[in-house]
Amino acid sequence: MQVEKNLSLLKLRLSMLGTLAIIIGASTAFFALILSLFESLNIILLVILVASFNIIQWLFAPHLIKALYKVKEVKYEDSPRLYSIVEQLSIKSGIKLPKIGISNISIPNAFAYSSPITGSHVAVTRGLLDTLDEEEIEAVLGHELGHLKHKDVQIMMVASFLPSLCYIIARSALFSSLYGGRREKGSSATILIGVIGMLAYWVLTMFSLGLSRLREYYADRHSATIVDDGARKLSEGLAKIVAQTANMKKRRQREAVSFNSFKALFISDPDRAESDARQIACLTSDQELVQKVLTKKLTTIDRFMELFSSHPNIIKRLKALQSLRS
């Protein structure tokens, strides 16, 4: 069993490294093509500007996240049990204790974020505290601390920067060919760069989403490792989050703007709740909820829709967790 778990972990790590390598390699090839056809100074300047924007966004994003999700930082005296859980799991994870927050949002979820300016943060929503049992909350927090330990915020920033750069370059090239001066207008090379750039943006975005899904599996594994019986607890927690979120359609719609801004941070994608919940019946126990999901089969539509999501399909995710149970 341990050998199988080690092989599974190795496969997951190789998949993540391979996906990141493809993103970087494809981007490098595209940028090399651009530099060979355009003035290097202009392209380099554009790269610097886009990189600077992404870095600034990363540095100050925690302030925006805190405002959007109505996060209030809590100390030990505010929530002793929550604070103690995060403290103990941080020690097991081998990371510094992050700042702990509670988001005044009714949808059950949790998220982690960080920057050199504000440090590391982990937050749970009021909805999560009201929906899950303490052991399930512990497993969810173990998942979020996994994101902090694995530097997922930084990794995904790099991965998302490259597609966005391709998009901006492609859009600039197409705009220049259509509305530029006599020198640029109608240039076949400029149009070609625009078309190839848009294609590169789409392909790299798909790989970035795939990398995000792999990071979720990696964080799930971390929770299962540091939390006693973590695979079971997290499975039950995820199933309950999906079921409860699907039943709160009107509230999700009211909070849609906030969710769409940084929903990749969440442990579960609120926008997928209804499609995931179709695979869950209204049952009486947590384990029945999980088992109901595990008996379902992935359809072709499920597999196709997953390609456009930052989170894995709930069936695949719970099956991966079951494989970690000793």
Side-chain angles (χ1 to χ4, degrees), residues 101-121:
I102 296 179
S103 167
N104 191 26
I105 291 179
S106 58
I107 304 299
N109 229 303
F111 47 98
Y113 51 101
S114 65
S115 86
I117 293 179
T118 64
S120 298
H121 302 254

Side-chain angles (χ1 to χ4, degrees), residues 35 39-52 165:
L35 290 172
E39 296 179 8
S40 299
L41 182 60
N42 292 337
I43 297 301
I44 292 175
L45 179 60
L46 182 58
V47 171
I48 292 173
L49 289 174
V50 175
S52 299
L165 182 58

Side-chain angles (χ1 to χ4, degrees), residues 89-106:
L89 292 179
S90 297
I91 294 172
K92 291 182 178 180
S93 300
I95 63 175
K96 183 179 178 181
L97 178 67
K99 296 177 182 177
I100 305 166
I102 296 179
S103 167
N104 191 26
I105 291 179
S106 58

Side-chain angles (χ1 to χ4, degrees), residues 226-244:
I226 66 171
V227 176
D228 292 336
D229 199 15
R232 175 189 64 80
K233 296 174 183 177
L234 186 57
S235 295
E236 294 176 1
L238 287 171
K240 289 168 74 173
I241 288 171
V242 168
Q244 180 67 9

